Structures are given as C-alpha cells and as structure tokens.
Amino acid sequence: MASSAGVAAPSEGVRQDFRAARYDAPARTLPGRIAQAQALEPVELSATTVADLYNIATRLCIKLGEDGLVAITADRALNSARIGGDALTNAEAQRPAPP
C-alpha cells in the first residue's frame, strides 16, 4: 500500500508537466496515480490527493478536447474534494470548466 506522501509528491510533478504544456506525460500517468491515491486508507487522507489529480485530469481533458470526459473528471474531483475537506482543492474543483 502506498503512503499519502508518496502519491501527493508525484501529483506535483504531474501538475508541473501540465503547466509546462507537456501533456503526454500526465495523460499516461494520471490514471495510475489516481488509482494509487484511491487505494490509500483511510479515504479522508487520500481524498484531497485524489481530488487534486482529478482536477488536473479535468484541465487535461479540456486541453486535449476530450469533452466527454470533462464532466466525469470534474464530478469526481468535486466529490473527492468534499470528502477531503481542503478548501483550496474544493474551490478548484468547483471552478467552472470553460466552454
């Protein structure tokens, strides 16, 4: 079982790749990172990391034109953010996606 620190640290690397417009790496690694974060116990400890990763996935879907996945990833980000209780992550998950 992975630790929350072990999953949270790589999420920052995924965010840096996204900000630098290196979309291939996050597109490959996000599904595995999300699965790792979801496997952590208790759920409350992992929920903020899961929400953060889904927030990145939502923005990535927008950039890649995967409109069918935007609503799904945004919903999962918001649900996880609410469980995690982190105000900043919750605010980011509630930010409306551009049309």
Side-chain angles (χ1 to χ4, degrees):
M1 183 179 294
S3 70
S4 58
V7 175
S11 73
E12 188 55 37
V14 171
R15 186 176 291 280
Q16 288 173 356
D17 282 340
F18 178 80
R19 286 181 179 155
R22 294 186 298 260
Y23 302 134
D24 289 347
R28 281 191 317 272
T29 61
L30 270 170
R33 297 279 186 227
I34 291 169
Q36 283 179 324
Q38 288 173 326
L40 297 173
E41 296 287 337
V43 171
E44 293 77 17
L45 292 178
S46 67
T48 298
T49 299
V50 171
D52 188 45
L53 291 167
Y54 271 122
N55 281 329
I56 296 167
T58 300
R59 304 297 169 232
L60 182 63
C61 288
I62 292 167
K63 292 288 185 183
L64 298 178
E66 295 291 340
D67 297 338
L69 295 176
V70 171
I72 295 167
T73 57
D75 181 64
R76 290 180 182 175
L78 185 56
N79 287 333
S80 294
R82 287 178 177 156
I83 293 168
D86 180 72
L88 182 59
T89 303
N90 198 345
E92 184 178 358
Q94 291 186 44
R95 182 174 64 177

